[in-house]
Amino acid sequence: MRELFPGQAVDDDPSSHRRLTPEEADRLPHIHRLLLGYFGQPEPREPWDPLSQFIYSLLSSRTKTETTYAVVRHLRARFGTWENLRDASLTEIEDAIRDVSFPEQKAVQLKAALEGITARYGSLTLDFLARYRTDKIRAWLEQFPGVGPKTSGAVVNFSTLRRRAMCIDSHHLRVTQRLGLTPRADAATTEERLMRLVPETWTAEMLDEHHQLIKKLGQTICTFTDPKCRQCPLLKLCPYGKRQIAAEEKIEQSNTPRAYREPR
C-alpha cells in the first residue's frame, strides 16, 4: 500500500479559522432555528463507512432517497461484499441498480471507481482516508468518473469520516439561491460561499443536520415548480418568496371584478 498524499496528515479545514460579523454569524443559525421549529429535529444519521457512503452517493443523483437505499440494500444482499460488486460484469451491475436514474451510466462509473480505488490503494476500502486532510480527500475522490463536489461532500460529512463540509444537492442550490445567500453558481462555488457563513462552533454533525433540514424544505415547500411560499417558515428572509407572493396578489387583484356603478 502506497501513501496517496505524502506528508499530508489530518488537519482542520483552513476556512474554519476566520471571523464572521455578528450578522453573518447568525444568518445560517437563524435559518436553522426556523427550520427546526417548523420541521422538528431530524432523525440522527447512523454514519456508514466511507466506501458504503461513496457507493450510495454515486448512485443517488436524480434518484429518490428511498429508492437509493433500497438499491444499496439489494447490492449488499446480491453480491455479499463490495469486492464481489467490483468484480461483477457491467451487465450484472446495471441489472442490480436498474431502479436508479441512468443505470447504464452509473454502472460504468461505479465499476470504474471501485476498480480505481483498488488499483490506487491496493485493496477496496476508503477507511485510510481518515488520515488525511479534508480537501485532499475530496480532491482524491473527485478524480473518479461521476464523482463531483456533491458526492465528495457527502462522503466526508455523512460517513464515519465526519468532517466539516456541505453536500450541495439540487435542493440546497435552489433554496440558498432563492434566499439570496448565494448567487447562481455550481455546487462547488455555492459550498465555498456557504462555508464562509458557517459558525466555527458548528460540527460535522450540525452541518449534516442543516443539510437534512434544507433538503426537506426543498422537497416539500421550496419545490422547483409551484413552491408553497405562503407556508414557508423562511418567507420573511426570502426575496424570491416575497416576489412570488406580490406577483400572486397582483394577479388576484387584476382578476377581482370592480364594483358595478350605475351610470349618471
Side-chain angles (χ1 to χ4, degrees):
M1 298 180 188
R2 57 192 175 87
E3 287 294 306
L4 302 176
F5 314 116
Q8 295 292 345
V10 172
D11 190 15
D12 290 333
D13 181 354
S15 68
S16 66
H17 302 290
R18 82 273 188 267
R19 291 182 179 276
L20 297 172
T21 67
E23 181 181 6
E24 288 175 333
D26 197 48
R27 289 190 80 182
L28 289 186
H30 184 46
I31 289 170
H32 196 88
R33 290 191 297 268
L34 290 172
L35 293 177
L36 278 176
Y38 190 84
F39 291 118
Q41 192 80 31
E43 186 174 342
R45 185 189 302 274
E46 184 175 341
W48 290 346
D49 66 274
L51 182 60
S52 297
Q53 182 63 55
F54 176 86
I55 293 169
Y56 171 90
S57 298
L58 191 62
L59 297 175
S60 66
S61 176
R62 306 285 183 178
T63 304
K64 291 183 178 179
T65 301
E66 299 78 10
T67 301
T68 312
Y69 275 122
V71 168
V72 171
R73 287 195 297 268
H74 176 63
L75 290 176
R76 290 182 184 276
R78 178 166 177 173
F79 295 101
T81 68
W82 296 138
E83 286 81 4
N84 289 340
L85 172 63
R86 174 198 63 200
D87 297 337
S89 68
L90 280 174
T91 301
E92 289 179 290
I93 296 173
E94 183 182 329
D95 179 66
I97 65 170
R98 62 182 178 275
D99 290 339
V100 303
S101 302
F102 314 114
E104 303 89 350
Q105 177 183 358
K106 289 178 180 177
V108 173
Q109 294 171 343
L110 179 57
K111 185 173 176 64
L114 297 181
E115 290 177 342
I117 291 167
T118 306
R120 287 164 175 79
Y121 186 64
S123 62
L124 185 54
T125 179
L126 291 178
D127 291 346
F128 67 90
L129 293 176
R131 302 198 300 268
Y132 300 105
R133 213 171 62 193
T134 303
D135 60 332
K136 296 296 182 182
I137 295 172
R138 297 188 67 174
W140 192 82
L141 291 173
E142 289 175 24
Q143 71 183 299
F144 297 110
V147 180
K150 172 181 174 287
T151 297
S152 71
V155 172
V156 297
N157 184 237
F158 301 160
S159 78
T160 52
L161 293 173
R162 278 305 198 192
R163 302 293 181 83
R164 279 168 53 96
M166 279 192 181
C167 173
I168 306 296
D169 60 15
S170 58
H171 299 294
H172 215 130
L173 280 172
R174 183 171 62 255
V175 171
T176 54
Q177 287 168 8
R178 288 176 175 177
L179 284 170
L181 286 174
T182 60
R184 186 175 296 276
D186 60 18
T189 304
T190 298
E191 182 186 4
E192 179 185 357
R193 289 167 175 166
L194 286 175
M195 286 300 291
R196 296 173 191 167
L197 302 176
V198 173
E200 296 178 11
T201 55
W202 277 24
T203 62
E205 289 77 10
M206 276 290 292
L207 284 162
D208 183 357
E209 181 178 281
H210 187 72
H211 166 81
Q212 292 183 61
L213 290 168
I214 293 287
K215 182 176 181 178
K216 190 165 187 177
L217 183 74
Q219 289 174 327
T220 60
I221 294 176
C222 193
T223 52
F224 180 72
T225 57
D226 301 321
K228 304 173 183 64
C229 296
R230 294 180 189 274
Q231 300 177 26
C232 184
L234 306 183
L235 177 58
K236 291 183 179 179
L237 310 177
C238 184
Y240 174 89
K242 292 175 182 176
R243 290 196 302 269
Q244 287 290 106
I245 289 177
E248 290 173 7
E249 291 176 345
K250 187 174 181 179
I251 293 172
E252 289 171 0
Q253 290 173 2
S254 66
N255 291 336
T256 302
R258 295 182 180 180
Y260 176 75
R261 295 181 181 179
E262 289 287 341
R264 294 182 179 179

